[in-house]
Each structure stands twice: as C-alpha cells, then as structure tokens.
Amino acid sequence: MNTEEREELLGLLPPAPAPALSAARFTRMKTHLVREIAPEGCAGRARPAAKRPRRRFAALAVPAGVAAAVCATVLSLGPGGTERPSTDPEAVELLNRIAAVATAQDAPEARDGQYVYTLTQGTRDVMDEGEDTVRRADWHPVDGAGDGLARVTVLDGPSGRGTRDMTLSEDPNVMTYRELRELPTDTGELYERVWSATAGQGPTHEEAALEMIGSMLQGATLLPQVDAALYRVAARIPGVTVVENAQDAAGRTGIGLAFADGDDRDVWVFGEKDLNYLGSGEVALLDVGVVDEVGETPAS
C-alpha cells in the first residue's frame, strides 16, 4: 500500500471507539498507569503520536419531567471556592448494578498469538460533503506484538459504499489485552492508579479520570473482573449523571451515563434490560471476542 492509499484510508476510519482523549494526553495517562503495574514494561514503547480531533457526541433525548434531575451536572464548592461536580446517587447505584452484571460474565480464554476482534460503527466527517456511516472491524494481537488489521466498510455517505483493509502497526495509544489483564481488580487500588495517572489533566481531574476509564471499557468487556472494577471506580468519581433513552451510534436505545457538559458531553450507553455495554453515542460496540487468525470473527 503506497502513502497516498494509506492516507486515503485513514481519512475513512471512524474515530477510535473510546471517549475523546487527545492521543498525547492518552499516552501520558497510559504510560503512567502501566509503569505502576509493570515498571519496566513500558521502556521503549512510547513514541510521538499523531493528534486526534476532539470527537463529537450525539445529542440524546431526555424526558422533560426528569431533565433537570438526570442531565444537569450539579456543582458544589470545593477547597478554595472552586466548583466541583457532586455525586449523583442514581448514577452510583446504576454503576454498581452494571459492575455486578459485568462480574457475572464469562471470561473467554486468550493467549499470545491470538487476536482481540472488535466490530464498531460510527460516523466520519467528509470535508464539505457531509458524513459517512462507517463500520469497522479490528484485529489486534492479544500481546500487542506484531501487526493487526482494520477492515473499514462505508455503509452510506458521500465517499460511496465499499470496503478496504489497512494494516495496524503497534500503537502506544492502544492498551493491549495483556495490559488490561494486568490492571488491579481491587477498586481502591485501581482508583488510586487512575486518579494518579490523570493528575494535572483537564478540563477537570474528574472528567480526565472518567475519560480514561471510558477508553478501556471496550477491551475490558473480555475481562469481567477488570470491567467490574472500572465501573466501581467510576462510581467513586463525582460528575456522572444518568441519561434516559440514550442512543448509541448504531441507533440502539438504552440507558446512558454522561459526564462533562454541552457539546463535549461523553455518554456511555448500556442495554436497558441486561445492562451490557453498547458503546457510546458516537461509536457503537457491535461485537467483541477473541479469535485465532486475522479475518476470523467469533461467530466463524
């Protein structure tokens, strides 16, 4: 694949299925976090990362009668008179229920040499022409070593329908399955790791911590104990609110958890009955699993 073809394909890729961290900020957080887990495991991995645009999140419909209760982030005064988000008991209760559901899931076996498969759907701006609806299948090595594959299909939009493949090289902005598996599952310990890794980040420390947790949710669905611990950590961080009738990027309706404000608000969406993670208002998680070869799917 020549440079021109690669750049063209990169333009078709939907945003990575994680909340809107810049690549540089995510690298700093991840490096700090992984160094605490395995102090010598990060040497030589980090390298400058390309800038990623701030991602947009879909507006979600909320019943008028409960809008004030579940959508507005209530602020309280912290030390020095600064405004800090307050704890929403409804969000805490929901996060703990989601954690209980996650704990009960089966953990697939994954070994080095296999691949984590994900299927996502989102949209991508086409300059001055509108938006493509894009479905993307990724195969990432379980241990992060070697190349993976992205298979991008334009379902609809000005770019025209079609599918193209792109080789995925090792990326310091992508936390591997192995790194996720090494995270502590004790809620207190994981909270301290995340909170420390996001110190000095913004726009607020709370938002930075929640964004980092969100960036790990997709892969953590394969690791029930880690998954549950991440939700319990999120329940300790003020500023999360419940959103009724949230929609993911594939149009599936569920219950949402939101943080931040206005156009930058990040929303995690869960099945209303089973509380399984569906993705976000921008990137829907359609499938995830472990396979033996690039090109395979969990159903094949």
Side-chain angles (χ1 to χ4, degrees):
M1 179 182 296
N2 61 38
T3 301
E4 184 178 348
E5 290 175 328
R6 182 179 179 83
E7 291 299 321
E8 180 184 353
L9 183 55
L10 282 171
L12 292 176
L13 291 175
L21 290 170
S22 70
R25 182 166 146 200
F26 184 90
T27 300
R28 289 196 299 271
M29 291 179 182
K30 179 191 163 187
T31 301
H32 186 115
L33 184 61
V34 176
R35 276 180 179 160
E36 292 196 10
I37 298 166
E40 298 179 359
C42 296
R45 286 289 308 275
R47 62 177 182 269
K51 289 185 178 180
R52 253 185 338 200
R54 181 73 187 179
R55 299 185 344 184
R56 296 175 293 103
F57 285 77
L60 303 177
V62 182
V66 297
V70 301
C71 285
T73 302
V74 181
L75 299 178
S76 58
L77 291 180
T82 58
E83 287 187 338
R84 309 304 296 173
S86 66
T87 298
D88 181 344
E90 186 179 4
V92 170
E93 191 273 337
L94 178 59
L95 281 162
N96 284 320
R97 284 170 52 206
I98 292 168
V101 169
T103 302
Q105 301 299 313
D106 294 329
E109 293 185 12
R111 61 182 184 278
D112 291 351
Q114 291 184 304
Y115 296 83
V116 173
Y117 166 82
T118 56
L119 181 65
T120 57
Q121 182 171 317
T123 58
R124 186 73 176 184
D125 285 331
V126 180
M127 187 176 297
D128 300 325
E129 296 186 50
E131 273 187 343
D132 284 335
T133 299
V134 182
R135 187 166 290 181
R136 171 173 167 163
D138 281 41
W139 290 265
H140 287 280
V142 164
D143 58 1
D147 292 337
L149 178 72
R151 178 163 293 158
V152 183
T153 301
V154 178
L155 302 176
D156 190 31
S159 295
R161 295 173 180 266
T163 299
R164 297 186 67 178
D165 288 353
M166 184 183 75
T167 298
L168 296 176
S169 302
E170 292 183 58
D171 185 349
N173 295 321
V174 177
M175 183 169 278
T176 68
Y177 174 90
R178 177 188 282 176
E179 290 169 339
L180 281 170
R181 188 175 59 192
E182 291 171 353
L183 289 174
T185 56
D186 176 79
T187 305
E189 185 178 355
L190 184 56
Y191 173 87
E192 291 301 326
R193 298 274 178 95
V194 170
W195 196 250
S196 174
T198 52
Q201 305 299 319
T204 69
H205 196 167
E206 288 82 5
E207 287 180 40
L210 289 164
E211 286 177 2
M212 187 173 194
I213 292 169
S215 72
M216 294 185 278
L217 293 183
Q218 178 178 299
T221 58
L222 299 173
L223 297 159
Q225 299 305 315
V226 173
D227 201 26
L230 287 170
Y231 291 124
R232 292 189 178 109
V233 169
R236 292 191 177 194
I237 300 172
V240 187
T241 56
V242 177
V243 179
E244 304 289 346
N245 300 319
Q247 281 195 341
D248 70 8
R252 296 176 296 183
T253 301
I255 189 164
L257 288 165
F259 55 99
D261 297 314
D263 292 339
D264 290 334
R265 183 174 68 169
D266 300 335
V267 181
W268 306 337
V269 185
F270 302 85
E272 197 160 2
K273 293 182 178 179
D274 58 19
L275 295 182
N276 287 330
Y277 180 63
L278 300 180
S280 74
E282 187 191 45
V283 180
L285 178 61
L286 303 180
D287 195 11
V288 60
V290 178
V291 297
D292 292 328
E293 302 288 342
V294 167
E296 288 185 353
T297 68
S300 62

